[in-house]
């Protein structure tokens, strides 16, 4: 079972319910961006009901410059979340439905011979966009899955010895179904490590489900969304996230958590790339929450989403466990490691 975004239990409560009411070192640009972020979250929460923490983490992932993996049962709203983010952020968007007969060229593009020019010309594939939705990514073969590795890490595509840069910013939001279902291929560790966060939405509450039944179709609501942040604002926010301050005491806590992942004989601990991902995700979470400084609360909020899929935690749907909530590897580590040394 992977990280359920709305089941986070924070051990520290250093912030009020309205963080923007607190004095924070900021510029006018920061304050304007925070107002837009609050507006974006409010609109997205009207589309994806009853999942405010998942929505916040998804936006944090984008502003951290990372890729997002959504794994859950079909029909849980994964595609709706991705489409809503693309529309509200004003990003160019492509959706690719992965199938078992798909080839890497179907995603990356291919060279086609032009008889008029007497030469081969590269025809870009759907990956040449700012936000790529790789829908049901684990239904394609490992060869096709691996075609995304260079694009996700280097933001470029190499074909026939030529390198083509991807648009900036570039994100992949991938969805995958549980391994218990037929016709799926597990993502290799190298592929999983390219995703900054991994989330599962889970079933809605009865109240949210009633609103779904009585309300508009989600696809109709998506059409009504207006762009809140444009490309330039997203790039500026990504730059601001990298400036969020991380104190040495917070880094001490982060490293204690990382050391705990490496002390187990059951799984491999976090790699240096995983550690950097944890810090970047925490910075983005602090920024989205209205702060320019990371606290242990931010580390805790993103820890499971950053680490569980890297530690080999498999997603298990709630009905398989009889509806019983089971602690993930990351949640057990959080419970065992003290904030203060």
């Amino acid at each position: 079972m992977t990280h359920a975004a709305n089941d986070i239990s924070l051990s520290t409560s250093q912030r009020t319910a309205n963080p923007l009411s607190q004095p924070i070192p900021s510029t006018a640009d920061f304050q304007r961006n925070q107002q837009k972020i609050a507006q974006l979250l409010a609109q997205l929460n009207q589309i994806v009901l009853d999942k405010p923490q998942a929505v916040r983490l998804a936006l944090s992932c984008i502003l951290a410059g990372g890729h997002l993996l959504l794994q859950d049962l079909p029909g849980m709203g994964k595609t709706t979340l991705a489409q809503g983010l693309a529309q509200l952020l004003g990003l160019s968007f492509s959706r690719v439905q992965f199938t078992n007969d798909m080839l890497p060229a179907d995603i990356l593009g291919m060279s086609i011979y032009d008889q008029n020019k007497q030469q081969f010309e590269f025809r870009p594939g759907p990956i040449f966009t700012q936000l790529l939705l790789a829908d049901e990514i684990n239904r394609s073969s490992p060869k096709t899955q691996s075609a995304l590795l260079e694009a996700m890490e280097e933001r470029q595509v190499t074909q026939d010895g030529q390198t083509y840069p991807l648009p900036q910013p570039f994100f992949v939001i991938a969805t995958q179904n549980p391994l218990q279902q037929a016709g799926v291929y597990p993502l290799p560790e190298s592929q999983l490590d390219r995703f900054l966060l991994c989330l599962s939405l889970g079933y809605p509450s009865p109240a949210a489900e009633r609103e779904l039944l009585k309300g508009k179709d989600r696809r109709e609501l998506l059409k009504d969304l207006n762009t809140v942040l444009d490309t330039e604002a997203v790039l500026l926010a990504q730059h601001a996230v990298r400036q969020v301050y991380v104190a040495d005491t917070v880094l001490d806590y982060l490293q204690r958590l990382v050391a705990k992942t490496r002390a187990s004989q059951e799984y491999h601990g976090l790699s240096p790339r995983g550690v950097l991902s944890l810090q970047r995700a925490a910075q983005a979470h602090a920024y989205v929450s209205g702060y320019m400084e990371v606290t242990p609360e931010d580390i805790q909020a993103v820890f499971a989403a950053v680490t569980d899929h890297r530690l080999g935690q498999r997603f298990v749907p709630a009905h398989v466990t009889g509806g019983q909530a089971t602690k993930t590897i990351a949640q057990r580590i959080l419970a065992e490691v003290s904030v203060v040394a």
Side-chain angles (χ1 to χ4, degrees):
M1 179 177 183
T2 51
H3 175 51
N6 56 329
D7 291 335
I8 291 177
S9 176
L10 303 179
S11 62
T12 57
S13 301
Q14 303 173 356
R15 297 178 178 170
T16 63
N18 182 12
L20 293 180
S21 67
Q22 300 298 307
I24 54 177
S26 63
T27 63
D29 288 340
F30 173 81
Q31 293 174 334
R32 281 194 295 269
N33 248 16
Q34 288 301 310
Q35 292 172 353
K36 291 181 179 179
I37 286 173
Q39 180 185 349
L40 187 152
L41 291 174
Q43 290 195 49
L44 200 50
N45 281 319
Q46 293 299 313
I47 303 294
V48 183
L49 299 177
D50 193 38
K51 306 296 176 184
Q53 186 62 12
V55 168
R56 181 177 294 272
L57 287 174
L59 179 60
S60 298
C61 184
I62 296 295
L63 297 188
H67 308 293
L68 177 64
L69 178 62
L70 299 171
Q71 54 182 3
D72 217 320
L73 296 167
M76 289 294 193
K78 304 184 295 295
T79 303
T80 300
L81 174 58
Q83 292 174 328
L85 275 171
Q87 195 157 336
L88 289 166
L89 294 173
L91 302 175
S92 60
F93 176 78
S94 291
R95 176 183 178 273
V96 177
Q97 178 63 53
F98 279 62
T99 58
N100 59 6
D101 60 349
M102 178 176 284
L103 299 175
D106 295 329
I107 306 168
L108 305 180
M110 65 182 70
S111 294
I112 298 177
Y113 187 73
D114 189 323
Q115 291 186 348
N116 295 326
K117 297 181 179 179
Q118 297 292 302
Q119 64 183 18
F120 283 93
E121 286 192 351
F122 179 68
R123 302 290 177 85
I127 199 170
F128 285 84
T129 186
Q130 291 176 318
L131 196 155
L132 174 70
L133 172 58
D135 216 357
E136 297 186 311
I137 187 174
N138 59 340
R139 291 201 177 277
S140 65
S141 67
K143 181 178 182 180
T144 303
Q145 293 174 8
S146 64
L148 291 174
L149 290 176
E150 180 188 11
M152 294 175 70
E153 186 66 22
E154 308 294 338
R155 265 67 174 183
Q156 64 183 29
V157 169
T158 302
Q159 286 286 79
D160 300 324
Q162 295 291 322
T163 298
Y164 305 93
L166 292 167
Q168 295 297 321
F170 172 73
F171 308 102
V172 173
I173 297 182
T175 71
Q176 71 169 357
N177 297 331
L179 293 179
Q180 295 86 353
Q181 295 194 339
V184 299
Y185 301 85
L187 295 179
E189 286 77 4
S190 59
Q191 183 82 60
L192 288 171
D193 197 44
R194 292 328 196 261
F195 289 101
L196 180 66
L197 298 184
C198 178
L199 303 173
S200 60
L201 297 178
Y203 292 112
S205 67
E209 195 163 51
R210 177 63 65 89
E211 189 171 344
L212 285 172
L213 292 169
K214 299 179 68 175
K216 281 187 177 181
D217 187 283
R218 299 297 103 181
R219 288 169 292 188
E220 294 298 322
L221 293 177
L222 282 171
K223 295 177 182 177
D224 297 333
L225 292 180
N226 296 316
T227 297
V228 176
L229 292 176
D230 57 17
T231 297
E232 182 180 358
V234 172
L235 291 172
L236 287 173
Q238 288 182 334
H239 177 74
V241 163
R242 293 192 290 271
Q243 310 307 314
V244 174
Y245 177 68
V246 187
D248 286 342
T249 53
V250 176
L251 287 177
D252 290 341
Y253 176 52
L254 183 151
Q255 288 191 291
R256 288 198 300 275
L257 289 170
V258 171
K260 187 69 174 179
T261 71
R262 296 170 178 171
S264 174
Q265 301 297 318
E266 300 177 9
Y267 46 81
H268 297 292
L270 282 184
S271 67
R273 177 162 53 192
V275 177
L276 291 171
S277 297
L278 178 58
Q279 174 179 294
R280 192 163 77 250
Q283 288 175 299
H285 187 271
Y287 183 81
V288 170
S289 301
Y291 286 85
M292 287 299 290
E293 180 176 359
V294 173
T295 70
E297 188 175 53
D298 296 304
I299 302 290
Q300 294 169 348
V302 302
F303 185 67
V306 171
T307 60
D308 269 336
H309 64 290
R310 290 181 165 89
L311 301 181
Q313 182 78 52
R314 297 296 187 185
F315 169 71
V316 180
H319 72 274
V320 175
T321 63
Q324 297 297 316
T326 58
K327 282 191 175 182
T328 68
I329 296 172
Q331 288 170 336
R332 293 198 300 268
I333 292 174
L334 283 175
E336 295 170 2
V337 177
S338 173
V339 174
V340 181

